[in-house]
Amino acid sequence: MTSLFPSPGGRWCFHLWYNEDALRVHREDTDFCQQKVSKLLSVTDSYSNIFRRATARVVARSAPEETVTSSFASFIHAVRPEHLSKTVRHRSKRMILDSIGVGLVGSTTHVFDIALQYCRELYSSVAVSSVYGKPGIKLSPTLAAFTNGVATHSMDFDDTWHPATHPSGAVLPALLAASQMLPPSTKPNGMDFLLAFNVGLEVQGRLMHFSTEAHDIPKRFHPPSVVGTMGSAAATAKLLSLSTAQCAHALGIAASLAGAPMANAATQAKPLHIGNATRLGFEAALLAARGMEANPLILDDIPGCSGFSAFYSVYQPKPLSTPSDHHEFLLEKQDIAFKRFPAHLGMHWVVDAALSVRNLFINYAGSFSPSLIRTIVLKIPVSKYINRPFPSSEHQARHSFQFNACTALLDGEVGLSSFTESSIHRQELRELLDKVVVEHPEDNVANFDKMYGEVALLLHSGDVLTGKCDTFYGHWRKPLSKESLLKKFRSNASHVLPEDKIETIISMVDNLENLSDGSQLACSL
């Protein structure tokens, strides 16, 4: 287990515990945990004393009862595998598989190469955690989480929930890295891993429901940089079996590490939001495990002293009930959206609308002939950062209603190759973009549960052809079939892995509950 201790020279550094008598604290009370912690850290008296005093302070200063924050901490600590329904297990395993796939294909991108080179150049004496698509490379746990988080969001190909956030990429890389960090005798099993993943999802979802502002396409903070950091802290705290008080402190520490502005959407910096969320939440849990404390009311609404409420203009927190046999996870009620092509979720509405009207146009004219089109009208919600008339880079193109609609019209599909430099700067595409007019109907709101996309072709003949999409294939109301999800995963993973490894990962995720060693999933990457 990674620990933060003062070195003999007075500087703080990370160490890795490989003691075979290592800490295992699932389902154990605080007194017994303290006894095992003391035994584990007997390698040096000074380190043992430091940690014993830190643990005692954490226990003595536990979060007050009957607060929102303490309810979340209690949930994280107390939730058990039997609380996960069959539906939740099924949906979350689909998310894990998809997230690994988009991370693997994301390891082929330029922004991933930048992040990987940066991490490899940092000093690290504990390179034990795997990197997506790079079987010969290991990094320290938190840097591996960061790098894999960047890979996951490098193409904007990762899943999206409602209220809007990318939940898997902020949690899964931290858990993969943490599972490899732990010594053999304390490795989590597959069910431990799946439970921790769902804890990270649940915390993100509950926090998003604290604000009506979070239901709409964001304008200020990128949601995964906010709730994702908290979800990573909660998931890692669960995997490391932290006490209730430590779980509360992990959330408080994570809140001080959270947040990234929407202005960096459509740039190479946006994938850093996921990378930082998963890494910094992981670090928050590690710091809490070492005895660092934070405000025990961080999630509560305290007038005159903002905690997590600082991220929202409207904030109404509610306690999270103690898990029981009847606890219903949010994933039970709200399924996830999986993307069919690597672009912002909003693009999927306009692409399906464009493909629909393209078919009408071909039936009308016999073939797709742009010269017959006078004007292309897009009816879309008001959202400035995805309204980009003439994108000049792949990241801008992934966040452009206009680009994705016109690419679908011109090519009859949108895929990985649509966002290459040569595809973006085609003359015939630019000619179509010149014809686009954008309208914002009042009933088309910037909300992934309510918006629609409409594409109308006004022809020189005076005829008008229209395609509309209310729910695209892959949306939570029209989820991808098992066959479609596996096809996406195999396609993504094939860029960096051989077929036998791809099938091994599919089988491993499908049978995750039965894995005796949850770190096997990370080792297979």
Side-chain angles (χ1 to χ4, degrees):
M1 188 172 183
T2 299
S3 58
L4 188 64
F5 287 131
S7 67
R11 290 163 47 181
W12 290 85
C13 58
F14 279 99
H15 298 267
L16 194 70
W17 301 339
Y18 276 108
N19 193 312
E20 284 301 311
D21 194 24
L23 177 62
R24 179 68 167 173
V25 293
H26 280 299
R27 306 175 181 86
E28 297 174 346
D29 61 31
T30 302
D31 292 337
F32 186 52
C33 292
Q34 286 181 264
Q35 294 171 16
K36 295 192 78 175
V37 167
S38 297
K39 186 176 181 181
L40 174 66
L41 294 179
S42 62
V43 283
T44 68
D45 291 339
S46 59
Y47 286 178
S48 181
N49 289 335
I50 290 170
F51 194 80
R52 194 182 297 112
R53 289 196 299 269
T55 305
R57 287 197 304 271
V58 169
V59 173
R61 302 178 187 178
S62 58
E65 296 182 359
E66 305 302 327
T67 70
V68 173
T69 308
S70 66
S71 74
F72 271 68
S74 296
F75 174 86
I76 296 166
H77 177 71
V79 68
R80 294 289 177 258
E82 54 267 28
H83 297 137
L84 301 180
S85 69
K86 183 178 180 180
T87 297
V88 168
R89 294 198 306 271
H90 171 71
R91 288 177 174 177
S92 57
K93 287 192 294 184
R94 282 164 56 90
M95 294 169 72
I96 289 171
L97 185 68
D98 183 73
S99 187
I100 290 173
V102 299
L104 289 170
V105 72
S107 71
T108 65
T109 62
H110 179 56
V111 66
F112 169 83
D113 289 340
I114 295 173
L116 178 59
Q117 183 179 0
Y118 165 75
C119 290
R120 295 188 73 183
E121 290 173 353
L122 289 178
Y123 172 76
S124 172
S125 61
V126 281
V128 297
S129 297
S130 301
V131 177
Y132 282 151
K134 306 292 180 182
I137 296 176
K138 291 285 199 301
L139 294 174
S140 63
T142 56
L143 291 183
F146 169 75
T147 306
N148 290 338
V150 170
T152 301
H153 200 55
S154 63
M155 293 183 176
D156 222 303
F157 210 177
D158 43 337
D159 57 23
T160 305
W161 212 8
H162 179 73
T165 194
H166 304 289
S168 296
V171 172
L172 184 59
L175 295 179
L176 291 170
S179 69
Q180 291 182 292
M181 175 187 78
L182 295 169
S185 61
T186 65
K187 293 289 188 188
N189 61 39
M191 196 63 188
D192 295 331
F193 190 99
L194 188 61
L195 177 64
F197 181 74
N198 276 282
V199 165
L201 301 183
E202 184 76 354
V203 166
Q204 290 182 78
R206 296 289 175 176
L207 293 176
M208 295 293 288
H209 280 83
F210 284 0
S211 176
T212 54
E213 179 185 350
H215 285 69
D216 298 332
I217 295 176
K219 298 177 182 178
R220 298 170 61 225
F221 294 100
H222 191 206
S225 75
V226 179
V227 298
T229 309
M230 307 295 283
S232 174
T236 312
K238 184 62 182 176
L239 196 74
L240 301 181
S241 301
L242 300 193
S243 70
T244 301
Q246 289 170 324
C247 290
H249 291 310
L251 294 174
I253 296 166
S256 284
L257 303 175
M262 284 306 303
N264 270 329
T267 72
Q268 287 186 340
K270 190 187 180 200
L272 300 182
H273 298 178
I274 301 290
N276 279 331
T278 193
R279 172 191 179 178
L280 296 176
F282 187 177
E283 291 183 356
L286 292 175
L287 290 169
R290 303 285 67 76
M292 181 173 284
E293 300 174 356
N295 191 321
L297 299 175
I298 198 67
L299 301 182
D300 294 79
D301 189 15
I302 308 299
C305 186
S306 294
F308 191 73
S309 63
F311 295 108
Y312 299 102
S313 57
V314 177
Y315 186 75
Q316 297 176 315
K318 297 179 180 179
L320 181 54
S321 60
T322 302
S324 67
D325 293 340
H326 305 292
H327 179 82
E328 186 176 50
F329 281 76
L330 288 176
L331 190 58
E332 181 91 38
K333 298 182 287 186
Q334 175 65 65
D335 202 355
I336 204 79
F338 294 112
K339 299 176 181 178
R340 304 194 320 274
F341 56 89
H344 183 277
L345 192 73
M347 306 305 107
H348 289 65
W349 277 274
V350 295
V351 164
D352 278 14
L355 293 175
S356 176
V357 76
R358 186 180 193 271
N359 290 333
L360 293 176
F361 185 66
I362 290 174
N363 290 335
Y364 171 90
S367 63
F368 185 76
S369 179
S371 62
L372 300 180
I373 301 173
R374 175 171 58 84
T375 304
I376 302 170
V377 179
L378 303 186
K379 295 184 178 181
I380 54 177
V382 175
S383 185
K384 186 173 183 179
Y385 81 99
I386 45 180
N387 182 359
R388 298 177 182 273
F390 300 103
S392 59
S393 71
E394 63 161 302
H395 295 283
Q396 290 180 10
R398 298 183 199 279
H399 295 75
S400 168
F401 280 123
Q402 295 89 332
F403 174 87
N404 284 273
C406 289
T407 296
L409 287 172
L410 191 60
D411 300 332
E413 63 178 358
V414 178
L416 266 66
S417 62
S418 301
F419 301 96
T420 61
E421 286 292 311
S422 57
S423 294
I424 292 170
H425 298 291
R426 290 177 289 171
Q427 180 60 32
E428 57 268 37
L429 180 62
R430 176 60 188 250
E431 290 173 358
L432 273 187
L433 289 170
D434 283 333
K435 299 180 180 184
V436 173
V437 173
V438 169
E439 295 181 0
H440 302 296
E442 290 186 3
D443 66 336
N444 199 354
V445 296
N447 181 306
F448 291 147
D449 205 38
K450 300 176 181 179
M451 67 172 285
Y452 63 85
E454 185 173 314
V455 180
L457 305 181
L458 280 58
L459 308 181
H460 288 293
S461 65
D463 292 327
V464 178
L465 304 176
T466 302
K468 185 177 180 180
C469 175
D470 295 304
T471 305
F472 65 86
Y473 181 48
H475 190 271
W476 44 83
R477 290 193 297 269
K478 193 185 292 186
L480 292 184
S481 67
K482 179 180 180 180
E483 292 73 20
S484 294
L485 190 70
L486 288 174
K487 181 180 179 181
K488 176 186 174 182
F489 176 79
R490 290 187 173 108
S491 175
N492 285 337
S494 68
H495 288 269
V496 293
L497 293 181
E499 183 178 352
D500 59 332
K501 281 197 172 185
I502 293 172
E503 297 307 313
T504 295
I505 293 172
I506 292 173
S507 176
M508 205 172 289
V509 174
D510 192 38
N511 296 284
L512 190 55
E513 301 99 320
N514 302 317
L515 280 183
S516 60
D517 179 359
S519 70
Q520 291 177 0
L521 183 58
C523 295
S524 68
L525 304 177

